[in-house]
């Protein structure tokens, strides 16, 4: 039987709850089955940062599944609260022909110290959609402010299965960021590790941006298995812009880091209510994609 949701990871451990077995940490020395080459987009320099004025940031709308509803499901007890520990998480803004949108992304550890993880649908329209444009990342974004500057991508990377068929089991994407003032994003913010082939049940901390005018929110709860290719997470308050939010287990409050075992996306592009969210299972295909992103950041 699962232990009750704790207010912090330390409380869960002290009360006898387990946050799950340690996930396998991905890194450049791990080997994986060779898959079809990921679809990589190289981005040219341009005035993307200048486009994103405060008014445009505040006017951006959430990017999540078309069937998304704002009304929470009844009977859900876990509820998100404003986050004060969001330094490795930020808002990912995207230009669009139908208006500007936003998602959530977070810094994931890499040798190049320049890598983000998010949902694939945040950076690519999937089947027939192509890569999105005008993307910027604003870490610790709050109410139109950019306390750690505005960062622009050098490359975008999603799995070929997402490009060809919008495969919900691979709704995970990586963004290689350009340096800013001679520094990489991880030099400034630090990063979470990436865990793959890690199972389905974890006590996770999920942080994301429900609206472009708000601060991020955070919730802790246990993940469950939705299917062999999907994880499920129940907590009220995770509206459309939280797509791409990292699911962090084994969170250390001293270093404010942990291991990412999911991101909001996958089934229903993350869920069609604010109370139940999903993530693609981070298996060998995502591990391979991560290694390709590492290679892209070095090229």
């Amino acid at each position: 039987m699962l232990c009750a949701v704790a207010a912090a990871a330390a409380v869960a451990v002290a009360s006898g709850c387990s946050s799950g077995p340690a996930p396998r940490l991905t890194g450049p020395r791990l080997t994986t089955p060779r898959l079809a080459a990921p679809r990589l987009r190289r981005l040219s320099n341009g005035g993307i940062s200048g486009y994103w004025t405060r008014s445009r940031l505040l006017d951006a709308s959430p990017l999540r599944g078309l069937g998304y509803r704002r009304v929470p499901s009844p009977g859900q007890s876990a509820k998100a609260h404003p986050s004060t520990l969001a330094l490795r998480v930020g808002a990912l803004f995207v230009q669009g022909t139908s208006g500007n949108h936003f998602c959530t992304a977070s810094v994931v550890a890499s040798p190049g110290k320049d890598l983000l993880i998010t949902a694939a649908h945040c950076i690519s329209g999937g089947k027939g959609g192509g890569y999105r444009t005008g993307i910027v990342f604003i870490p610790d974004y709050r109410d139109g402010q950019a306390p750690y500057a505005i960062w622009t991508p050098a490359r975008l990377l999603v799995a070929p299965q997402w490009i060809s068929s919008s495969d919900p089991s691979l709704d995970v994407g990586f963004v290689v960021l350009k340096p800013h003032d001679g520094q990489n994003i991880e030099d400034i913010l630090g990063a979470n590790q990436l865990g793959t082939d890690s199972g389905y049940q974890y006590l996770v901390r999920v942080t994301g941006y429900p609206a472009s005018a708000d601060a991020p929110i955070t919730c802790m709860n246990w993940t469950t298995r939705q299917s062999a290719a999907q994880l499920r997470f129940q907590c009220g308050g995770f509206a459309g812009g939280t797509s791409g939010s990292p699911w962090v287990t084994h969170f250390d409050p001293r270093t404010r880091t942990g291991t990412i075992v999911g991101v909001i996306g996958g089934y229903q592009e993350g869920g069609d209510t604010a109370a139940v969210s999903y993530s693609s299972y981070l298996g060998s295909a995502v591990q391979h994609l991560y290694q390709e992103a590492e290679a892209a950041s070095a090229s």
Side-chain angles (χ1 to χ4, degrees), residues 66-208:
L66 296 178
Y68 174 75
R69 292 179 281 116
R70 290 186 176 274
V71 180
S73 299
Q76 308 300 324
S77 58
K79 184 68 176 178
H81 56 83
S83 175
T84 59
L85 300 174
L87 291 181
R88 289 160 189 87
V89 178
L92 193 74
F93 288 89
V94 181
Q95 287 179 249
T97 55
S98 61
N100 297 323
H101 304 280
F102 70 95
C103 281
T104 300
S106 61
V107 186
V108 61
S110 68
K113 299 184 177 182
D114 54 3
L115 200 59
L116 304 178
I117 187 171
T118 187
H121 73 261
C122 291
I123 60 175
S124 167
K127 183 178 181 180
Y131 278 96
R132 305 193 191 278
T133 60
I135 295 173
V136 295
F137 176 65
I138 305 181
D140 208 29
Y141 170 86
R142 295 166 191 267
D143 193 27
Q145 304 298 321
Y148 294 93
I150 298 176
W151 298 70
T152 57
R155 298 174 178 88
L156 308 174
L157 191 71
V158 299
Q161 296 92 327
W162 178 260
I163 291 288
S164 63
S165 63
S166 301
D167 185 349
S169 67
L170 286 168
D171 191 2
V172 179
F174 292 94
V175 179
V176 180
L177 291 177
K178 298 175 183 176
H180 183 84
D181 288 342
Q183 291 184 294
N184 287 316
I185 190 72
E186 192 175 331
D187 294 325
I188 296 174
L189 301 182
N192 292 303
Q193 296 291 320
L194 182 66
T196 56
D197 290 319
S198 55
Y200 298 91
Q201 188 176 98
Y202 282 97
L203 180 63
V204 297
R205 177 189 296 263
V206 180
T207 301

Side-chain angles (χ1 to χ4, degrees), residues 42 45 56 94 126 138 153 164 178 184 227 245 250 253 255 262 265 273:
R42 296 175 182 271
N45 290 324
R56 283 177 172 150
V94 181
I138 305 181
S164 63
K178 298 175 183 176
N184 287 316
S227 68
S245 299
H250 297 290
T255 63
T273 78

